[in-house]
Amino acid sequence: MSCGIDTSCADLLLQILVIGLSNGAVIALNAIGVTLVYGAVRLINFAYGDLFALTTVVVVVMVRGLGLLPGMAALPLFGGLALALVASMGFGTALNVAVERVAFRPFRGGMRLAPLIATVGLSFMLYEAALVWRTSDKSIPGAHHSVPGVPEVPRLGVYDLLPNFDLVRAAGLPLHVVYTLKDLLVLLLASGLALLVGWFLRRTPAGRALRACAQDAEMSRLCGVDLNGTIRLAFALGGALSGAAAFIFTVYYTHPYTEYGVQSGLFAFTAAILGGIGRPRGAFISGLLLGVFAAFSDFFFASQWTPVLLMLVLIAVLTIRPTGLLGEDQSEDRTARPAADESVGERRPSGAGGWLTPALLLLALAYPLLDALLGLHYQLVATHMLLFVLLALGLNLVLGFAGLLDLGYAACFALGGYTVAMLTGGQLGAILPTRLDFLVVLAVSTVVATIFGVINGALATRLRGDYLAIVTVAFGLIIPQVFVNLDQWTGGERGAAALPPPLLFGYSLRSPTEAYYVACAGLLVVALGSLRLARSRIGRAWAALSADEVAAASCGVDVTRAKHLAFVIGSVVAGAAGALFATSFSYVDPNQFDFRISAMVLAMVVIGGAGSVPGAILGALLIAGLDQLLIPLLGAWLDGLRQERGGVFARLDIRALNALYFGLALYLTVLLRAKRQARSAGARAGLGRWLGRTAEPREAL
């Protein structure tokens, strides 16, 4: 859109600025909370966005419970809103302190990536809590009432309670801009809270202790600062600001946040990075600027591209200047940390249980025969499970072998699936003179995924630990959103269906058994290749890299090449799995490639044991079996009880709690592994002290 320098254009730009500042108020408050927490613990809290999303539901329930309606007298209306604000800030404070207690304190001084994975698990549990809370209200029609197995999600909301009095018109200004009292109140509330936090940090002993902890935690502890109490205070302040942001968002837009909160958390972290970690004022200003940027993007481009652009800004800032535009250089942010601190548990030898992998692969080969003999009719489910096993083996190469955390692994899965859809059933497939052979389609899909793996690998050489995890999450959200936005090529939200069956050497693979064995062939290649890689030179280089990156580099390991290769091979496996999914089930859907899939695959690898090929297979079978077999069977059984007995069974829907199962499994696995590793370390330390004592007389002689 072009615009000359005239009054109407100036009014338009000013109106977009007004909208952007109101949007940015929410991002700014969340950004201050993020920068306080990150400055204290130097770890990203992936549950922060879902905490914000859950608190929006609390605000709706509180406002509706107080019976606040438009047209009420000013005193009871604003008194009720003030009470809802205090309640939301209190709820956010308590919940964020609880997150610190269960997801950060148990891992302090141990595995660095464990809190990141634990907060991913907590984010799913908080999302499920918000979903259950919303679905418990049956007074509002839901969006999915008639779909079996999909919970009814009420469109919760509140009335527009803030005054929409136009201040520009009341002031008689010669502007065609609408700036209401509602916009002013939102900006004043956000600015006032930001100033209050700044005063607290500068003028109070607790605030100065928090700033000292953000600058140098160890030196602060030596100077007498209560480190645990200060970190708890940072989480409390961050939770209170998240509650205030949730209140502003709900009363301004009248509807709570409805998606996964990971994206809102990333936006807040983007503002925190731009403003400089540990700088609340910079985070607040950056949050307002991001809100303005989003408003201009919505108007001049399209609203569906705004999240993509914001996450690209995050990736660019983390890659070019991780300390932010206003932050000082922090060596700990850019220095390579020993990968042993970044592992998620004791790295299991890949050859452990050498008989188990061949046994599982033989069982996979024989399953169609067993399915026919026993009359199970689960062959399509088994194919789905095989593809999850394939994904788990690919992520195991990245996380288990090389010690690199990829939280956006489903992006390569999506690239493979959508490449097949466009080559066989989309516009590209329509203009091709003949149908492509499946091996050609598979090769193209893996090449596309390889290119993405090269980009991920290049970023891995510049970023470490949690920053790398944040970038992979951003990529994992960007790729599906891009496919949704390119609806002319990909089908958008609908996806692509009725894809033709794969053509292999002129033979059309139409039956479920043929699709199963194609997936099984891919699984055999990846499983045997993983075992071979574990014993190869690059496998030993990955093991050294996972144990200690600095020591590996000093011993001659090409760290850059090893990281690149890990991401490339992992991406190839994920791309192949996506291609097999599209050809096996004849459709692709953006919901099949969202962040939940990345978290599921991560849970499979962590539960099975990072670095173990049979462990990855068993972990994938366990999680996929829970998702594809056990939960549907339990759901059908409860449906029968619901029809027969009613009562408590009428309100119990076990199929609606999938996110809770995955999140809980992921969190408990990381917690138990951390405790086991701590016990092992304590036992080794005790043995060392005992050996030292027994050696003293001998040394004296």
Side-chain angles (χ1 to χ4, degrees), residues 202-251:
R202 290 191 305 271
R203 301 297 182 183
T204 64
R208 289 192 289 269
L210 204 157
R211 293 171 60 196
C213 179
Q215 291 178 3
D216 192 325
E218 185 61 27
M219 183 61 68
S220 300
R221 186 183 64 83
L222 294 176
C223 292
V225 173
D226 180 5
L227 195 58
N228 286 332
T230 303
I231 291 175
R232 187 165 55 247
L233 174 63
F235 274 83
L237 287 176
L241 291 171
S242 177
F247 172 82
I248 292 175
F249 184 91
T250 304
V251 298

Side-chain angles (χ1 to χ4, degrees), residues 33 42 57-58 69 90 121 148 186 227 291 305 308 355 376 433 446 543 557 561 603 619-620 634 652 672 675 689:
R42 290 290 165 176
V57 181
V58 174
L69 297 172
V186 164
L227 195 58
W305 286 106
V308 175
W355 59 271
L376 299 176
T446 54
V557 174
R561 177 177 176 272
L634 288 176
L652 185 60
L672 293 176
K675 289 185 175 181
R689 289 192 297 269

